[in-house]
Amino acid sequence: MPTVALGLLLALGLQAGAPAASEAGAQPGSGAPARVLAWLEEADASLGGAPAGDPAGATGWIDTAKLPTLITALLFGLLMFRYQRRAARGVEIPIRRIPGLDAIDEAIGRATEMGRPVLYVPGIDEIKEIQTIYSMMILRHVARKTAEFGTTLIVPVRDSIVMTFAEEAVKGGCMDAGRPDAFVKDNIRYLSNEQFAYCAGVAGIMAREKPAANLMLGMFFAESLILAETGFMSGAIQVAGTAKQHQLPFFVAACDYTIMGEEYFAVTAYLTREPNLLGTIRAGDVLKILAVALLVAGIVLATVHALSADPAAPGWADVLRKLLAAGGGGGSA
Amino acid sequence: MMPPLLQVPPSFFSLDSSAPPDVLGGWIACFLTLAVFSFLYRDNPFYKLAEHVFIGLGTAYFALQYYEQGVLQKLQTHIVDASVLETVKLGGHEVPADVAIGLRAAAVVLSGMLLLRLVAPSSWAPRWPLAIMVGVYAALKMTGETQSKLVLLVGNSIQPIVSSEALPFGPDVRIEQTALWFTATKLIYYIGLICVLGHFVFTFRRTRTLAAVSRIGVVTLMITFGSMFGFTVLGRIALLIERVAMLKDYTAPEYALAGGTQAGLLATVLSPPVLLTVLMVALLALGALRRRERSPGPA
Amino acid sequence: MKREIPILLTVLCGLAVTWSFFSPVGVSSAMNAELLDWAQVFFSVAFLLGIANLVRISLKQVTAGHADSPYKLVMLAVLFGYLLAGLAEIHGWLPAAFTEEHGNKALRNWGHAKIFVPLQATMFSLLAFYIASAAFRAFRARSLEATLLLTAGAVVMLGQVPIGDELTGGWASRALAFLMVHVNGAGQKAIIMGATLGVLATGLRIVLGIERSYLSE
Amino acid sequence: MASVIANFDRRWIFLAVGLLVVSLYAAGISSELPESEYVRDFHATLEALPPGAIVLLSADFDPASAAELLPMYQGVIHHLFARDLRIVNVATWPAAPPFTQKEFARIAPLYGKTYGVDWVELGFLPGDDVAMGSIGQSLRSAYPRDDRRTSWADLPLLADVGDNMRGISLLITASAGYPGILEWIAQVGGRYDVTLLAGTTAVQTPDLFAFYPLQLKGFLGAATGATQYLQLAAPLAARLPTGEGALDEVRDENQRRMLVQSWAHILILALIVVGNVIYFRTRVPTGAARR
């Protein structure tokens, strides 16, 4: 965990300007935190940092209020590229198996038992949306499974470019399963470009071909509700997944299993072992733990200080807040 | 929304947006609204017509806005304005006018390269402007969001979990104002925040603590999604109520087929929403009957 | 040549905008303003290209005798009619007396108010019906998670409207206030921080020229 | 699957929702709402501004969200003009300008406000986040001309607006989604010295609690937030020639809708409960039910 210690040191060691010095800490008290705060503010002024209350007033070559953002970006970049290189060299980055993946395999298994098709909806956004690209990777995994079990796989799409990517993914999946003949081109169907007409098309497939498993993975908008409801009514086992939180409530309420938020990226990383993605997720985890460490330290310091004899004087929590360029001291979190 | 008082009777057709909505526009708006609602019964010609008018007009409207404000304003207006000046202030920095014009002329050339995609889809030229756009977007989002939606969020969350202003328990003190409530809710807040962050950690071995953290994180997430679910229901209902309010506005006698100003049953029946609903229901019922004759299965 | 120059352009422009964020003085702010303007122009032109694509597909469908051809013709007629009216207003092809009396936005605003507003507003209001039918047919308290979700949803639905307090003696809105600030607030903050790490990762890979997927369109 | 639910035609539910909304709306009973803390903060922030201060009002919505956001937008214009504040009006959603032009044309004369001095309409700016970054860094380069193609020289109000949001003390956005308040917080909130307020649709309201109150001073959440704010703002609005307050009609209309909102929520809750009761009572008892 040397990187975490390094990160902590970096964030605490380097000084940073603050757009608005916390009112509580303004007057120089006697304690050590007050001296540190005074030294930080004086260093700010010498570097031409933005004076308090005027975030856009920086005159120096670097806007000191933005140093924490620079440190965070550099730290994250270093970690990401380091882990990407290690992953590319084959060093095992342990990524926990998301239960959602088991739900997908279970759904495909049930569909095979009942001899009915699997329906895969890759979201309704274009290919430039990152979730649609990752949905293609998950589709390849699903296509491999359905090819192995000899189950029909239907992929309705809303965008002609996504259709070509979906065909590639399913063809690749069939190849992975060693059954190139399992690929059926007209099971990848372009229904309509209009949101609700697309849902009507998917509902038609559910009614006519009665898929036993509905997999809905990708970027969804207001129509997620209609797809989840129609799928539930057709009696299919449903697994949904999207990174955008606004559609998750409806998927959780109407589907058997939901892959939520960042789990969506973890599922893709688990399936594809793609170094870039593994490196990003690992670096993200480290930064989250660093953020939690900073939070806990700050809260403990702030609480101890608030209970101390002289809560008005600046405490170490105010130093930490200044280092993170946070706003005024008052107000709830 | 109908202006509060219909002092001036609505004219048959008027382009003045501050005048009361015109009669022709009223009939069109009511027909299109009811045509979209007819999709609830089943996909039918009225909905198909409304859908295609929507795609056609919406596409044209957006194209005009992006053309006028994104292309004309940014290229022609900028260059014409700069040509009469000595220096131009670019982002608060004085730049000689001809440099500004030269830079923007480069943007005109790059836009031309982007337009090449229409005639030669696989040519390399459109990639240059797209590459610039992607670079600017990625950098702007990365910097702004890292500061305001990561660093500042952590910084602003560093607060004490005890409050000096909170009141001790008392007869007329609401529970929300007591010190115990302040500390309890802050603990719930920070534990929830840390546990959801912990739930989304994937590359560390799954110890018992991480599993417990994840469990609390999921509970917090479910209540968060529940509140989003409740608010989404609230929002969708509000949209529907506004549509009903709009249709009710057009039941005013001035919009009835027979015109005139005296209210009454005849005026309401001949008003756009009622009359159009009756006509559409009749036509759709006719369609259903004809379908039943052709194929006696369910409608 | 086909790939190296675009990536170089992405890196240069990305670093210029990043540099002006951290050091917003002097020439960096002018460069940033110019690049933001360029991005707005290319964003608009790319949007117009998307529309040309739609028109091409629709024309192909009409000529191929697609089932919905009459509707596609209506769409194209409305599209080109409105486009023509708008261009006439923008470039002043209309008689001076007309523009004098109505200004140069009257035709577009009429189409917006009488056709676009009712269509888009009603299209989205359909969701109120779908939520009601999904509520009855699909929203099941099948697990602890789904039960928690539906309960919190019920608290919000009751707490936001006057009848909630009447039914629960004022507890609904107090429970709502607690849920929104102390549980939802924490959940949203964590979700947003996680999502921002994703934006930072993608941004770094694009600005440092490692991400190539957007070039393969 | 429960046979009761399987062959139950959902169009009966559609009919129930439609009838409930139409009949209750026709009844026209209105109900008052208690003001939430974040609505009072929104109102107080506006009240605290000195007369003559400049407010950047951004319309980031479209017809689909106008039902919730237009009443707020009207209330804010009345409130700003009533307190003699000056407004710079922009939009990052293309479908917003026709709404804003109409509201300003209707409301400004009530307060005797003149275009170019008391308010300026700069219109739609494409580019989503980039548009907001451009407005934040320099309104002058973002908008060479206003929406009526007059140049800056003929707009006295804009003489007091510099770069980096100088001269602008408050930014209010009527935000329907992306781009909206979250992008204003990222592109302007953290970089410049300006207070942020927002009116949002119901779908986006829960997100704001992550930023309230430090990065977002106050907000109006959903149609209910709009109603609460209109209750606070209506008394301040100008009097119409008929003696009635200019905002009273909009406030009464929103209050009339609260009753319909209430009973629609009760209907949906009932549907969830009944649906679950039927589901659990008729589920196949052999434990074959899915997880």
Side-chain angles (χ1 to χ4, degrees), chain D residues 200-278:
Chain D
T200 56
T201 54
V203 175
Q204 200 178 24
T205 301
D207 302 22
L208 306 186
F209 286 90
F211 299 96
Y212 169 75
L214 286 173
Q215 286 172 266
L216 175 65
K217 237 341 168 247
F219 59 90
L220 309 179
T224 42
T227 310
Q228 294 165 25
Y229 172 66
L230 288 167
Q231 287 167 184
L232 294 172
L236 309 165
R239 297 292 127 201
L240 291 175
T242 60
E244 200 200 10
L247 259 180
D248 296 354
E249 167 57 24
V250 180
R251 177 201 56 205
D252 298 344
E253 173 64 18
N254 260 41
Q255 285 180 331
R256 252 197 307 278
R257 297 183 184 177
M258 283 305 116
L259 183 83
V260 190
Q261 196 86 41
S262 299
W263 284 99
H265 289 191
I266 299 291
L267 171 66
I268 293 208
L269 283 177
L271 287 170
I272 293 176
V273 169
V274 170
N276 275 286
V277 164
I278 294 175

Side-chain angles (χ1 to χ4, degrees), chain C residues 82-195:
Chain C
Y82 192 81
L83 212 57
L84 208 62
L87 289 174
E89 283 186 329
I90 293 172
H91 292 296
W93 304 331
L94 294 171
F98 178 85
T99 354
E100 195 52 47
E101 192 209 345
H102 295 292
N104 72 350
K105 289 191 166 46
L107 290 175
R108 280 179 283 174
N109 285 354
W110 192 87
H112 174 275
K114 312 299 174 190
I115 298 172
F116 188 64
V117 168
L119 280 172
Q120 195 192 51
T122 315
M123 200 70 82
F124 273 83
S125 72
L126 292 182
L127 289 166
F129 294 100
Y130 292 134
I131 270 192
S133 93
F136 178 66
R137 304 197 317 175
F139 293 156
R140 295 293 172 259
R142 65 169 58 76
S143 60
L144 171 69
E145 288 89 355
T147 312
L148 272 174
L149 187 144
L150 292 176
T151 317
V155 166
V156 166
M157 278 196 263
L158 286 175
Q160 273 288 341
V161 282
I163 201 165
D165 276 349
E166 283 149 27
L167 290 179
T168 59
W171 277 104
S173 52
R174 290 168 78 173
L176 169 68
F178 165 74
L179 273 190
M180 292 314 290
V181 176
H182 299 294
V183 183
N184 166 69
Q188 293 290 350
K189 189 171 274 191
I191 291 172
I192 288 170
M193 283 167 67

Side-chain angles (χ1 to χ4, degrees), chain A residues 36-196:
Chain A
V36 168
L37 270 178
W39 177 72
L40 288 180
E41 266 143 26
E42 185 256 311
D44 253 358
S46 66
L47 260 172
D54 181 9
T59 50
W61 60 277
I62 179 86
D63 178 355
T64 45
K66 304 214 174 81
L67 269 178
T69 306
L70 184 62
I71 294 165
T72 308
L74 291 178
L75 181 62
F76 184 82
L78 284 175
L79 291 172
M80 185 167 72
F81 298 133
R82 183 163 168 276
Y83 289 123
Q84 273 170 4
R85 266 197 313 282
R86 286 178 57 178
R89 282 206 317 273
V91 172
E92 179 58 24
I93 292 189
I95 188 158
R96 67 178 165 86
R97 184 178 170 92
I98 307 294
L101 209 48
D102 305 331
I104 289 176
D105 295 343
E106 183 198 333
I108 297 173
R110 267 175 64 78
T112 312
E113 269 165 45
M114 301 164 77
R116 282 161 46 192
V118 170
L119 182 75
Y120 186 96
V121 177
I124 71 160
D125 208 339
E126 290 145 8
I127 199 65
K128 65 176 170 52
E129 161 63 43
I130 194 80
Q131 289 181 66
T132 313
I133 296 171
Y134 288 156
S135 182
M136 291 301 121
M137 298 181 185
I138 301 173
L139 173 59
R140 185 172 181 135
H141 163 79
V142 169
R144 186 167 60 79
K145 282 255 190 243
T146 51
E148 269 164 23
F149 296 152
T151 314
T152 318
L153 172 63
I154 305 170
V155 185
V157 292
R158 182 189 167 207
D159 177 85
S160 47
I161 301 170
V162 170
M163 192 163 93
T164 46
F165 278 86
E167 278 163 9
E168 291 310 313
V170 175
K171 212 178 289 178
C174 295
M175 225 73 81
D176 298 346
R179 299 229 10 242
D181 55 300
F183 172 69
V184 177
K185 186 170 187 340
D186 47 17
N187 274 346
I188 322 284
R189 304 177 192 164
Y190 171 81
L191 298 181
S192 150
N193 190 280
E194 199 273 329
Q195 190 177 11
F196 293 121

Side-chain angles (χ1 to χ4, degrees), chain B residues 1 3-5 17-18 40-42 61-62 65-66 68-70 73-74 77-78 80-81 89-93 136-137 140-141 143-145 147-149 152-153 156 159 189 227-242 244-245 248-249, chain D residues 11 14 17 21-22 25 64 67-68 94-95 97-98 102 122-130 137-138 141-145 147 149 163 178 182-183 185-187 190-191 202-203 205-206 210-211 214-215 222-224 242 249 253 257 260-261 264-265 268 272:
Chain B
M1 222 72 79
L5 301 164
S17 63
S18 54
L40 293 171
Y41 163 59
R42 66 197 304 275
Y61 176 85
F62 279 52
Q65 284 285 35
Y66 279 100
E68 184 179 21
Q69 299 292 97
Q73 169 113 318
K74 290 279 156 181
T77 313
H78 182 86
V80 163
D81 285 358
K89 264 167 77 74
L90 258 188
H93 189 76
V136 169
Y137 251 88
L140 197 73
K141 273 183 94 79
T143 48
E145 303 215 352
Q147 179 182 19
S148 293
K149 293 164 94 167
L152 282 182
L153 275 186
N156 288 334
Q159 306 284 351
Y189 181 86
S227 64
M228 293 163 76
F229 174 82
F231 268 99
T232 304
V233 169
L234 192 147
R236 303 305 184 210
I237 300 292
L239 295 189
L240 176 59
I241 297 171
E242 190 271 337
V244 167
K248 177 179 175 295
D249 285 346
Chain D
R11 286 178 288 201
F14 295 164
V17 171
V21 170
V22 169
Y25 183 73
E68 296 173 272
K102 190 169 153 189
L122 299 178
F124 166 63
L125 189 65
D128 300 341
D129 311 67
V130 166
Q137 191 194 0
S138 161
S141 6
Y143 288 97
R145 299 273 183 108
D147 209 15
R149 299 227 189 92
D163 297 309
Y178 172 83
L182 299 186
E183 285 65 42
I185 287 174
Q187 296 305 334
R191 289 177 75 164
V203 175
T205 301
F211 299 96
L214 286 173
Q215 286 172 266
T224 42
T242 60
E249 167 57 24
E253 173 64 18
R257 297 183 184 177
V260 190
Q261 196 86 41
H265 289 191
I268 293 208
I272 293 176

